[in-house]
Each structure stands twice: as structure tokens, then as C-alpha cells.
Amino acid sequence: MSIEAKEEFRPKIVAFCCNWCSYAGADLAGSSRLSYSADIKIIRVPCSCRVNPMFILRAFERGADGVIICGCHPGDCHYTSGNYYARRRMTLLFSMLDYIGVESGRTRVEWVSAAEGVKFSQTMHEFVEKIQSLGKNVRLEDLRCRK
Amino acid sequence: MQEIVNRAKELLADGTVKRVLGWKAGDLPYNPEPAYFEKEEDFEDFVYNGFCGANLSKYMIEASKLEGKTLVFLKPCDTYSFQQLLKEHRVDRDKAYIIGVGCKGKLDIEKIRGLGIKGIESIEGAEIEDEAETLKIQTFYGEKTCAYKDAMLERCHVCKGKDHMIYDEQIGESKETKDADRFAEVEKIEAMSPEEKFAFFQKELSKCIRCNACRNVCPACSCRKCVFDSNKFDSSQKANVDSFEEKMFHIIRAFHVAGRCTDCGECSRVCPQGIPLHLFNRKFIKDINELYGEYQAGADLEERGPLTSYQFDDAEPGIVAERR
Amino acid sequence: MTNQKKQAELIQEISGVNPLKCMKCGKCSASCPSYNEMDIKPHQFVSYVINEDIESLVKSKSLWKCLSCFACVQRCPRDVKPGKLIDAARQIVERQKGGDYLTADEIPELLDPEIPQQLLVSAFRRYRR
Amino acid sequence: MQRIGVFVCHCGTNIAATVDVKKVVEMALHEPGVVHAEDYQYMCSEAGQEKIRAAIQEKNLSGIVVCSCSPRMHETTFRGAAERAGLNPYMVEIANIREHCSWIHKDMEEATEKAVILMRAAVAKVNLNTPLKPGESRVTKRALVIGGGIAGIQTALDIADAGYPVDIVEKTPSIGGRMSQLDKTFPTLDCSACILTPKMVEANAHPNINIYTYSEVEKVSGFVGDFTVDIRKKARSVDMSKCTGCGVCQEKCPSKKTPSEFNRGLNNRSAIYTPFAQAIPNVPVIDREACIKFKTGKCGICSKVCQAGAIDYEQEDEIITEKYGAIVVATGFDMIKLDAYDEYAYSQSKDVITSLELERIMNAAGPTGGHLERLSDGKAPKEIVFIQCVGSRCADNRGKSYCSKICCMYTAKHAMLIRDKYPDVNVTVFYIDVRTPGKNFDEFYRRAVEEYGVNYIKGQVGKVIPKPDGKLLVQGADLLDNKQILKEADMVVLAAAIEPNPDVRKIATMLTASIDTNNFLTEAHAKLRPVESPTAGVFLSGVCQGPKDIPETVSQAGAAAVKAIGLLAKDKLLTNPCTAHSDELLCNGCSQCANVCPYGAITYEEKEVNDHGIREVRRIAVVNDALCQGCGACTVTCPSGAMDLQGFSNRQILAEVDAICR
């Protein structure tokens, strides 16, 4: 057994949150002091439809263990239809990742409104647990980028 | 073939078209290549036979910039690509004179070689007029035969049909060659375990040399500058260091053509490494058909593509995990 | 899974009907020519399936009183098709009885040239197992 | 290379209690581009902002990162501070180390580590920030209202009263719309004309309102604050300035066989006509399809009898081009066609009518002079059946999936009026649900039952069978009594579903306003922006947005007017600089981005470009900054990466991803 194996696995998780609903939901989770794992790092985007598949693949390439995208609930998009496009794009992308053998649990889309601090915290909690159970992302990591 | 040549000469002579886009014989009996014909004498080299798999639609992007009309020969499946390009304003309908040519399935030299036929000198039965069921192949080692069907490109086994989607006139008869399920291969992979899937694609994609042939031949992959060549995503093309890079390239490539890919199969035909690239595109097509309703890119000019439209009750991305 | 639940699902599968779409408007009962003969009325079929009380449905008089005229199917504004539900219940009964009265091979001999082809085809389609 | 300053806020103990702010400052100094880092108790305070200003000026900073609370809280504050120090406000990025870090983590080491990573991501982003400047666009202080029904009239009146000029474009020869066809209105039973006509007159007389009747919007270009609209004024064949509205021409016109649109085809009108007596303007039009003069060249009676010499057969369509700052759509509704509902015998019997036809029959100015009679034989009906939800709440493709909302109430009204005026007539209503939410609405319905004895039966009707003796056999079911009902009726009234005016699709396309599958215009936000279209500068009034009754329509009309006034009151519009831009060297011109743009902000131009020495004309996507709201949908649709979003560019987001995964 190497020394590395004894170390606790701390996953790297990127969360893309839309500015109007999910980022505000994360803020509400914060002001309600609803804790979730520090492994989650949030990137603010104007809308879930701003999330390019390139961003997700790049995160995996650079060693992320999981990527979650949060947006307004269908029907509530600030830009009326952005999350509908995001939903189709992400469904197809995730299906493709699953197809090439990447564990489907490493990617997730969740709709979180600005009022759903509890849901945000719970979702993040679940997602971290899922990634913990899947372990380190070895399939998609670009070895050059590992420290 | 003579009928095609005669008609092309006629249209050149009466000034309807300035040039003809077709296929000319290559240095071997089985590698004709796309070419322009501008004068009557150029047609000596013209061929149209079973090996003319090349989809000429993409060449029309450049031809649309030239002066005058270009006569282009399109097989039934090629017309989908042309129409999709038309939908995306990449080709000019007024600059094209389309002759829809008949097709009885195109041949794959790799399939013939795969049958153990080597040292090929000439091939008989690949001409378009023949109704030959078998190919007679002269080799260094004597005459060999093989069934026409066994030498067909994968895409012809899942042929989209005999109808030209767009044309000015039609010459020649087409034959229905579909005898396989278009999504059978995809389903096979879908049924694998994640480990098997990963191993399968790692094996296939590790062959990729990033020659970009798939990208260059693809009628949907017709960006002026590919994202993998620009600095917009810090993703400029470079030599592969590890297996993820090709995966990223091929996933993104397939994603960029998702909903626009007509499944013409050119990517797999031209890959020098024999990677079944169509499996990526077809996975997206299968998902689109299942989740958002049957859609065939290039079948019409009006309908919105599946990634530029939506329904209120579309499936949630979580369906990917549920379907497993 | 209980037997009742299985049967309720089977009914939905055979009929291709989602009973939850019903808004209880009663147009089916209003359209039904056999209404007065029935103990369970067409608009009630749906709730029997939702409540998984297939036994009562199967024992009801209505099961054999429905003429399969499909007026309710055609007029239902919610695409619920009560006629298809009761038809599916009948098929369940037929299937449970088991045993084919006829095999496909025997048909040609018995064939009355006056019988419309479509009738045969639809009968086979409906009562195949 | 940027010169970046990092400012770490303690937020009292809100941040400092769990995040080692000194450590964050120390780590910041190792980041590329960072030349200054400091921490302070309250960065948002006057003193904190002063520190930021001082550092920007002393250290000549080109960008700053504030590690503090959520950007939703204080981004504007810090942008303001930067701007006052002479730094472009868009060179500020916030690392949210309070809501997303200190408040949710307890372990100091863990929280500090995360705060450092969030700081790094913000620094990585700001390294790629570019100064942005909000654009400005001017506002034309004039509004256009499309549709002259009660919604359009009310909106126009409200805007005009605020002092802005308004044009109403109405397709038919008169304003008034559907409301002018109604007899009485619920829940107070006042006469529709009595409350509508004064408003029509007021609109006509208002100095700020200009009405184009018998006109249609033909073309719309431009954007919020600066629309240019072509209006086609169809040839009326009557000179509006000369006509006195005496009506002699209509009386003498020999062609009187055209079904009257206003009376829903229940009687005929002349070829030269005004739709109804109180029409505004009270100037007739010649229906050239029906006019004998236009068909054969002979006749010309109207011209002969017109004392004012107003008839002008030579008149031609006229195109008026006008500029507007705001556009309000108020195109209203119609009843669905009932061809698909053969079971109700609408096309088989004259005595099966729609409720709007009943309105005309009940109206004193209607085809029967207000007498309730059967259209087949003119006899007074003794038994009337109302059928609810005809084509509403339908999942099949024959009808509409939605509830038309107004039918329950108007049916109660009809039933009550009939019972009041003709107590010997029996009225039966077949319903699925009676929906009466609204002030005094349920009381109104209860009165119909309790005081007027209207018979309500729960159950949809299956079939209406016309009998040889002229009666109608109604086959229904009473679901509560569980029995089938066969009822003989003299008249059947169908509450047909309402649908948006079919023309609205054409108008929505011109305005690039989005429209749903039922042809209702989509609002910018279902709850918070219900009277605005997602397309900036376009507002929605009345049933074009969804089924509504008159009070609702009038309040929405007022709300739309307020939104339009709010826009027109501005001299200039500042536009959000975080908009999409297309790189003309990379753009394929493939139109995919325009397909996903909810604002119609993307158009295509044939533009000459110089691509490394190759000069050619290319089809290029062009984003209108005034319309783009910066969602970024187009950037992902663009396969070549030509489309990028300022402030959230591909490279900025990737830099954040890289920093987090480092």
C-alpha cells in the first residue's frame, strides 16, 4: 500500500450556477448556515445555457472528479428559455460521457431556485457523497495536469 | 456513366454551368477522387462507379464563392448534406446545378482487403450500370470474386433511401441497400459495462493520429476555423499527450455536429486508422430520436434542429443514469 | 407486487391509456349507447384502474355490455379512451381462460368469404396472447 | 499583464472567524498579476472603499478582486468604488468567501483553503477581464398599440394621459374589438356598449392618440426605444375627411348579401358598411370583394347619394412609416372553429350556436333586435341547453389544452339574463367544473342557481342530434346522479374555446417576440414580468398573453401602459455591456445562434471581411447590444466559437475552471 492510499480522498468538484436562481440559492444556503462540503467550488455563469460542454470536459481534463450544473427550474429561466437549451445539451453530453464509459454519477444537472437554500445544500451533499463513492476520476484526467 | 458525362458536357457547352464537380479516376482502380471539370477534354478522367463514395456537398461551400453555376453530382444520401448546408446558409442554391445520380451502394476497399483479397489490379462489376451481384477482382494472385454486398461501406447497409432530397434533374436508378439496423452497433456498446465501454473507446481512439481527415471531409464540420485551431478556448491543436485529448476532440466534434449530422458516414470512410467515428454521431442521433422525436438532418429546410429547439416537458439529464 | 396492481398495469399496457389524464368530464358516459345496461359506467372505468380494483371491473356487467363502438374513444377530450380500458379488461379475462379456441392454421378452412378480412386481423390482434 | 489588487474583507467576524484572512492575503501575493493585497474589517464601508480607491491610484491597478460577500450583495458597491477611482467598473471581480465559504464551513483550515481557491479563480478571471462600457441608445417618445379592442384602447388612453403620443393600429374598420360585440358584462350585468363606447370616444378625441383603423402592421425593424414600423392603411374607398357618417350610402347600397362579420355571420351587411352603429371612426369602408362597382364597373350608387362627395373609388393602400420607442401588442382573441366538433351538430343545425352568437342575438342592435329566437324558424325557444368546455381543456388535437377562463362566468350571465327576461324558458347547463375565482364571481354563479333556477348538471354532453321536427336531442350524463340524460332542446349554446387572434403569429415574428405552442405571446417572466415580452420594448396587453376577462384585461392594459411609460420617460437607455459578440473572422453565418436567441438580438449581414489577406463578402452574425441581455445561449450553439460573451467569456470561465482544478 502506498502512502497516497491512506490519505483521505478529497474530491474536486466544480459547480456551475446560474446567476439568477441557483447562485442565489447557494447564497441563501450560506445565509441560512446550511453547511455542505468545502470540496464544492462554485463558478457563476449568467445562465445554465452559458455552460459549454468544453467547460465540463476541461474540468475533467484538469482533474475534477465531478461537475454539477445548477439552473432555474424549467419555466422559470430569467432569460425565458436558456435552461431548456441547457437541458437538451447536457442530456446529450451526459449520455455521450456515459457511452464512452465515464461513470454517469460524475455529472449532474439540478434545478435550484433562489428560495431553495435547503435543496442546494442537500443536493451538494448528495453529490459529494456520490463522488466519494465513485472515487478519484482516473478515466478522464489528463495526466499532465496533475500536480 | 456515359449518360452523366454527356449531360455534363451539354450543360457546360450551353453555358448553364461554368464547371462540373465530379469524380476523376485515381492512380488505383479503387480510389477515385473529387475533381472539377471545366473543359470537354477533362472528362477523359471522369468516373462514376462503386468507389465514388465521396460526398461532394462540402465542396459546394467553396464552389458557391466562384463565379457562375457549378454542376454537382449528388447521390441520394449526399443531398441531405447539401440541404443541411443550404439550411445553414453555407451554400448558395443559385450557384448549384444538382444532378441527382443513382446509387446502388458504395464500396469499401478495406472490406475487400478484409476478405483476404490483396494485390488488386483491376475490379470488374463496380460500374454503376451493372446490376452485378458479384465483383470480379484481378489480383497478382489470380482472379478472385466477392459479393457486391459484402464489399459495401457500412453506411450503405443502413441506407437512408433512394430519394434525392434536392435536385435539378435526376439520372440513373438507385437501389435499396439497407439490410441492417442503423443503431445495432450503438446498442451493443450501450449494453456494455462502463469498464468495457471505456476500454472499447480507449482502444479505438488511441489509434487516432489527429490527422483531421474526419473533420476535413465532414459536411457539418465546416467551420471556417475549428475551435481546435483557434485560441477561443485555449484548445489549439497540438500533439496528443494522452488518451483524453482525442476523447475531448471527438466528443466535442460530435457534439458540434449533433442535430446537424446527416449520418453520411464520410468520417468513418476516410479515417486512415479505421476508427468507427460514426458511432459517436449515431449515438447522438439515437438519443435525439428517442428523447426529442425522430429527426433527420437535411431532410427539410424549415424544421429547427433538435439542439436549437425545446419542449417544456423534455427529459431531464438524469435520464442518462436512469436508463442504465 | 400484488396481483391487482399487476393487472392494473397490464390494462394500461394493453390499452395504451394513461388513466391519470382523465378530468372526469363524463363525455364518455354521455356518449355511451349501452349506458343503461351497465353497472359500472364508462366514466368510472378510469377510477377502477387507478384504484387497482380490477376484480370488480372484471366481474361487472359492463365488461360484456360494452359494444366497442368506441364513441367514447373518439370523443374523449383527454385522450383517455374508456372503451380501450374495458376492452383491455376483457382481454385479461380471455387470456386468463387460456387455451386457443383456434390456431392460425385452422382459419383458412373455416373462412367464410363473406367475413371482412379486417375483422379477422383485428380479432387476432386483439386476442393474441 | 494586469496589475491586480486583492482586497480581503473580514466582514467583522462573519468571514474572519472561520477564514484566515491574513493567509488569503499572503497567498494572493503569489498569484500571477497580483501586485497588491490587503485585508480590512469592512471593505464595503466608507473606509474600506477608500482603501480600494487609494490602492488603485497609488499602485496603478488595472483590475481588482474583492474577497467578500456575494456579488449579488455588493458587486455594485465595489464597482462604484472602482469607477470613482478611475478604474473601469467591469475590471472588478468578487470572490464570494462569505455565503459560499465562511458561513457554511466550520473548520478553519478547510475554509481558508477554499477561500484561497475562490480567490485564485477570481484572480484568474480578472486577468482576462477587459474594460466594458455600457452602450447608450436613444428613446423615441411615441408608442404603438397593435389592436384596438378594450385592451388596446385602455393602454393607449393610459399612455396618452401620461403625455406621450400613441398610435393605435386596428385591422377592422372600427375600434372596439370583441367587447363591442358583447351585450352585457359579468358580474354586474351592465351593458357592454354603455361602458365601452365612452372609452372609444375618449380615445378618438384624445389629442395624444392617433387611430389607424382598417390598417395593419406590415414591417417592424429596430429595437427597444427605436423601432421603425411600416403600417399599411388599406384603401377605405371613402375619404375620411369628407364623410359625415350620415349612413345613406349603406342604406342605398344594392349589394347586401355579405355576411356581417360583426354579427358573426348571423345576418348580412351591405358592401359599403360600418361594422356597427357606434363605430369609431364613423366612416364606412367599401368591401371591394362585394362591391358591384368594383366587380363589374357599373353601379356607383353610393357615390351618387353621398352629399359630401366622400366616396373615392380610386383610393389606394397607403404605407405609413413611423418611429416608436415602445410597442404594445393587444391583438386579442377569436373563438375556435367548431368544424372538428361534429358531435355537437354546429354545422348541421342553425339552432346550435356559439355563445358569442348568442351575445349578438340577445343584443338589441343584433340580427333579431334583441329577441331570443331560434334562427331556423324564428320561434321562441322554451328549452335551452348550454354546453361548457367545447374545445377547452382538450388533450387531443381537436381543441385547446388550456381552460378558456371566461366561459363559466359568461354562461352564468347568459342563463341568468334569459331566465330574467323569459321566465318560462328552461335553462340547463352541462358543465365539467364551474370555475369562478374572482371578486363576486362565485356569488354571481350561485345567484344563477339559487335565484334564477338555472339547472346545472355535472357531465359533458356526448352528442346533439337534430331531429326532423326541428328539436335538438341532447345526450348527456349526470355524473352525480349517475344516470344518462336525453333532453329535448330548442336551442343549444356552445361555450367554444377562445384562441389568440391568428394574426398574432405574423406579428410576433415581426417583433421577434416569442410565442407559445398555443399562439399566446410569452411574457418575460411568468410571475415577475407578466406584461413584458422577453423582447425589450415590447409589452403585452389582454388576451394575446393568455385568457382573461374584461377586468383583468383592463388591469393588464394599465400595467402594460405603465411599463411603456417607464420606458418612454427615459431620454436614453443604458445597455448592459455583458453582451454577446461575434468574431467576424470565425463566424460561419449558419443562423444557429439566431435560432436560440430569445430576444431576436442576432441578425445577419453580408459584410466584407479581411481574413488574413483574403477579402470576401461573408454572411456574419451581428448582435444588437440594445437587445442582447447576455444569457449566452448563442455562445454554446456556435460550433466555431465565434460567438463569445463579454464579462463571461469562454477563456474567463475556463481560467476559473483551471484555477479551481489546479
Side-chain angles (χ1 to χ4, degrees), chain D residues 62-78:
Chain D
S62 64
I64 64 167
V65 168
V66 187
C67 303
S68 61
C69 53
S70 172
R72 297 170 55 83
M73 190 85 147
H74 274 312
E75 189 172 57
T76 347
T77 314
F78 295 124

PDB file of all heavy atoms in Angstrom, chain D residues 62-78:
ATOM      1  N   SER D  62      -4.911  47.717 -12.518  1.00  0.00           N
ATOM      2  CA  SER D  62      -5.749  47.612 -13.709  1.00  0.00           C
ATOM      3  C   SER D  62      -6.950  46.705 -13.456  1.00  0.00           C
ATOM      4  O   SER D  62      -7.842  46.591 -14.284  1.00  0.00           O
ATOM      5  CB  SER D  62      -4.933  47.070 -14.879  1.00  0.00           C
ATOM      6  OG  SER D  62      -4.496  45.759 -14.599  1.00  0.00           O
ATOM      7  N   GLY D  63      -6.948  46.022 -12.325  1.00  0.00           N
ATOM      8  CA  GLY D  63      -8.094  45.179 -12.011  1.00  0.00           C
ATOM      9  C   GLY D  63      -8.073  44.853 -10.531  1.00  0.00           C
ATOM     10  O   GLY D  63      -7.006  44.870  -9.911  1.00  0.00           O
ATOM     11  N   ILE D  64      -9.253  44.607  -9.941  1.00  0.00           N
ATOM     12  CA  ILE D  64      -9.258  44.254  -8.524  1.00  0.00           C
ATOM     13  C   ILE D  64     -10.162  43.050  -8.260  1.00  0.00           C
ATOM     14  O   ILE D  64     -11.118  42.785  -9.001  1.00  0.00           O
ATOM     15  CB  ILE D  64      -9.721  45.428  -7.612  1.00  0.00           C
ATOM     16  CG1 ILE D  64     -11.183  45.814  -7.897  1.00  0.00           C
ATOM     17  CG2 ILE D  64      -8.799  46.625  -7.740  1.00  0.00           C
ATOM     18  CD1 ILE D  64     -11.757  46.732  -6.830  1.00  0.00           C
ATOM     19  N   VAL D  65      -9.791  42.328  -7.199  1.00  0.00           N
ATOM     20  CA  VAL D  65     -10.621  41.234  -6.725  1.00  0.00           C
ATOM     21  C   VAL D  65     -10.992  41.558  -5.291  1.00  0.00           C
ATOM     22  O   VAL D  65     -10.114  41.881  -4.489  1.00  0.00           O
ATOM     23  CB  VAL D  65      -9.849  39.893  -6.788  1.00  0.00           C
ATOM     24  CG1 VAL D  65     -10.611  38.811  -6.018  1.00  0.00           C
ATOM     25  CG2 VAL D  65      -9.637  39.470  -8.227  1.00  0.00           C
ATOM     26  N   VAL D  66     -12.268  41.522  -4.979  1.00  0.00           N
ATOM     27  CA  VAL D  66     -12.680  41.723  -3.593  1.00  0.00           C
ATOM     28  C   VAL D  66     -13.174  40.378  -3.069  1.00  0.00           C
ATOM     29  O   VAL D  66     -14.097  39.790  -3.631  1.00  0.00           O
ATOM     30  CB  VAL D  66     -13.792  42.783  -3.476  1.00  0.00           C
ATOM     31  CG1 VAL D  66     -14.066  43.099  -2.010  1.00  0.00           C
ATOM     32  CG2 VAL D  66     -13.402  44.051  -4.214  1.00  0.00           C
ATOM     33  N   CYS D  67     -12.510  39.887  -2.021  1.00  0.00           N
ATOM     34  CA  CYS D  67     -12.946  38.639  -1.399  1.00  0.00           C
ATOM     35  C   CYS D  67     -13.876  39.028  -0.266  1.00  0.00           C
ATOM     36  O   CYS D  67     -13.437  39.558   0.765  1.00  0.00           O
ATOM     37  CB  CYS D  67     -11.769  37.853  -0.852  1.00  0.00           C
ATOM     38  SG  CYS D  67     -10.538  37.492  -2.101  1.00  0.00           S
ATOM     39  N   SER D  68     -15.170  38.807  -0.471  1.00  0.00           N
ATOM     40  CA  SER D  68     -16.128  39.331   0.499  1.00  0.00           C
ATOM     41  C   SER D  68     -17.412  38.525   0.423  1.00  0.00           C
ATOM     42  O   SER D  68     -17.376  37.320   0.216  1.00  0.00           O
ATOM     43  CB  SER D  68     -16.401  40.797   0.168  1.00  0.00           C
ATOM     44  OG  SER D  68     -16.947  40.876  -1.133  1.00  0.00           O
ATOM     45  N   CYS D  69     -18.532  39.222   0.558  1.00  0.00           N
ATOM     46  CA  CYS D  69     -19.832  38.562   0.464  1.00  0.00           C
ATOM     47  C   CYS D  69     -20.211  38.347  -1.000  1.00  0.00           C
ATOM     48  O   CYS D  69     -19.432  38.626  -1.901  1.00  0.00           O
ATOM     49  CB  CYS D  69     -20.874  39.425   1.164  1.00  0.00           C
ATOM     50  SG  CYS D  69     -20.859  41.122   0.560  1.00  0.00           S
ATOM     51  N   SER D  70     -21.422  37.878  -1.195  1.00  0.00           N
ATOM     52  CA  SER D  70     -21.888  37.548  -2.545  1.00  0.00           C
ATOM     53  C   SER D  70     -21.892  38.763  -3.477  1.00  0.00           C
ATOM     54  O   SER D  70     -22.229  39.865  -3.058  1.00  0.00           O
ATOM     55  CB  SER D  70     -23.311  36.995  -2.454  1.00  0.00           C
ATOM     56  OG  SER D  70     -23.841  36.836  -3.742  1.00  0.00           O
ATOM     57  N   PRO D  71     -21.537  38.558  -4.706  1.00  0.00           N
ATOM     58  CA  PRO D  71     -21.607  39.663  -5.661  1.00  0.00           C
ATOM     59  C   PRO D  71     -23.032  40.206  -5.810  1.00  0.00           C
ATOM     60  O   PRO D  71     -23.226  41.356  -6.198  1.00  0.00           O
ATOM     61  CB  PRO D  71     -21.121  39.049  -6.974  1.00  0.00           C
ATOM     62  CG  PRO D  71     -21.178  37.577  -6.783  1.00  0.00           C
ATOM     63  CD  PRO D  71     -21.010  37.339  -5.322  1.00  0.00           C
ATOM     64  N   ARG D  72     -24.003  39.364  -5.488  1.00  0.00           N
ATOM     65  CA  ARG D  72     -25.387  39.832  -5.567  1.00  0.00           C
ATOM     66  C   ARG D  72     -25.644  40.906  -4.516  1.00  0.00           C
ATOM     67  O   ARG D  72     -26.612  41.640  -4.600  1.00  0.00           O
ATOM     68  CB  ARG D  72     -26.349  38.657  -5.365  1.00  0.00           C
ATOM     69  CG  ARG D  72     -26.228  37.595  -6.441  1.00  0.00           C
ATOM     70  CD  ARG D  72     -27.025  36.361  -6.066  1.00  0.00           C
ATOM     71  NE  ARG D  72     -28.409  36.723  -5.782  1.00  0.00           N
ATOM     72  CZ  ARG D  72     -29.335  36.879  -6.710  1.00  0.00           C
ATOM     73  NH1 ARG D  72     -29.034  36.688  -7.968  1.00  0.00           N
ATOM     74  NH2 ARG D  72     -30.565  37.206  -6.387  1.00  0.00           N
ATOM     75  N   MET D  73     -24.759  40.941  -3.506  1.00  0.00           N
ATOM     76  CA  MET D  73     -24.896  41.906  -2.414  1.00  0.00           C
ATOM     77  C   MET D  73     -24.150  43.195  -2.743  1.00  0.00           C
ATOM     78  O   MET D  73     -24.724  44.275  -2.754  1.00  0.00           O
ATOM     79  CB  MET D  73     -24.289  41.257  -1.168  1.00  0.00           C
ATOM     80  CG  MET D  73     -24.543  41.993   0.084  1.00  0.00           C
ATOM     81  SD  MET D  73     -26.131  41.483   0.685  1.00  0.00           S
ATOM     82  CE  MET D  73     -25.838  41.609   2.411  1.00  0.00           C
ATOM     83  N   HIS D  74     -22.852  43.093  -2.999  1.00  0.00           N
ATOM     84  CA  HIS D  74     -22.035  44.306  -3.046  1.00  0.00           C
ATOM     85  C   HIS D  74     -21.239  44.509  -4.326  1.00  0.00           C
ATOM     86  O   HIS D  74     -20.340  45.337  -4.355  1.00  0.00           O
ATOM     87  CB  HIS D  74     -21.094  44.327  -1.841  1.00  0.00           C
ATOM     88  CG  HIS D  74     -21.751  44.935  -0.636  1.00  0.00           C
ATOM     89  ND1 HIS D  74     -22.437  46.130  -0.677  1.00  0.00           N
ATOM     90  CD2 HIS D  74     -21.833  44.514   0.653  1.00  0.00           C
ATOM     91  CE1 HIS D  74     -22.906  46.416   0.516  1.00  0.00           C
ATOM     92  NE2 HIS D  74     -22.568  45.437   1.346  1.00  0.00           N
ATOM     93  N   GLU D  75     -21.551  43.749  -5.366  1.00  0.00           N
ATOM     94  CA  GLU D  75     -20.809  43.953  -6.614  1.00  0.00           C
ATOM     95  C   GLU D  75     -20.953  45.399  -7.077  1.00  0.00           C
ATOM     96  O   GLU D  75     -19.975  46.055  -7.444  1.00  0.00           O
ATOM     97  CB  GLU D  75     -21.300  42.994  -7.701  1.00  0.00           C
ATOM     98  CG  GLU D  75     -20.431  42.999  -8.947  1.00  0.00           C
ATOM     99  CD  GLU D  75     -20.834  41.910  -9.929  1.00  0.00           C
ATOM    100  OE1 GLU D  75     -22.008  41.891 -10.356  1.00  0.00           O
ATOM    101  OE2 GLU D  75     -19.977  41.077 -10.254  1.00  0.00           O
ATOM    102  N   THR D  76     -22.179  45.905  -7.031  1.00  0.00           N
ATOM    103  CA  THR D  76     -22.419  47.291  -7.462  1.00  0.00           C
ATOM    104  C   THR D  76     -21.619  48.272  -6.611  1.00  0.00           C
ATOM    105  O   THR D  76     -21.078  49.250  -7.127  1.00  0.00           O
ATOM    106  CB  THR D  76     -23.925  47.637  -7.352  1.00  0.00           C
ATOM    107  OG1 THR D  76     -24.640  46.422  -7.167  1.00  0.00           O
ATOM    108  CG2 THR D  76     -24.414  48.359  -8.553  1.00  0.00           C
ATOM    109  N   THR D  77     -21.576  48.014  -5.297  1.00  0.00           N
ATOM    110  CA  THR D  77     -20.823  48.900  -4.393  1.00  0.00           C
ATOM    111  C   THR D  77     -19.358  48.998  -4.828  1.00  0.00           C
ATOM    112  O   THR D  77     -18.805  50.097  -4.974  1.00  0.00           O
ATOM    113  CB  THR D  77     -20.859  48.328  -2.955  1.00  0.00           C
ATOM    114  OG1 THR D  77     -22.191  47.954  -2.652  1.00  0.00           O
ATOM    115  CG2 THR D  77     -20.320  49.337  -1.957  1.00  0.00           C
ATOM    116  N   PHE D  78     -18.748  47.827  -5.022  1.00  0.00           N
ATOM    117  CA  PHE D  78     -17.323  47.829  -5.340  1.00  0.00           C
ATOM    118  C   PHE D  78     -17.048  48.325  -6.758  1.00  0.00           C
ATOM    119  O   PHE D  78     -16.023  48.940  -7.025  1.00  0.00           O
ATOM    120  CB  PHE D  78     -16.722  46.434  -5.116  1.00  0.00           C
ATOM    121  CG  PHE D  78     -16.766  46.018  -3.662  1.00  0.00           C
ATOM    122  CD1 PHE D  78     -17.389  44.846  -3.262  1.00  0.00           C
ATOM    123  CD2 PHE D  78     -16.202  46.829  -2.677  1.00  0.00           C
ATOM    124  CE1 PHE D  78     -17.452  44.482  -1.930  1.00  0.00           C
ATOM    125  CE2 PHE D  78     -16.254  46.475  -1.335  1.00  0.00           C
ATOM    126  CZ  PHE D  78     -16.885  45.292  -0.956  1.00  0.00           C
TER     127      PHE D  78
END
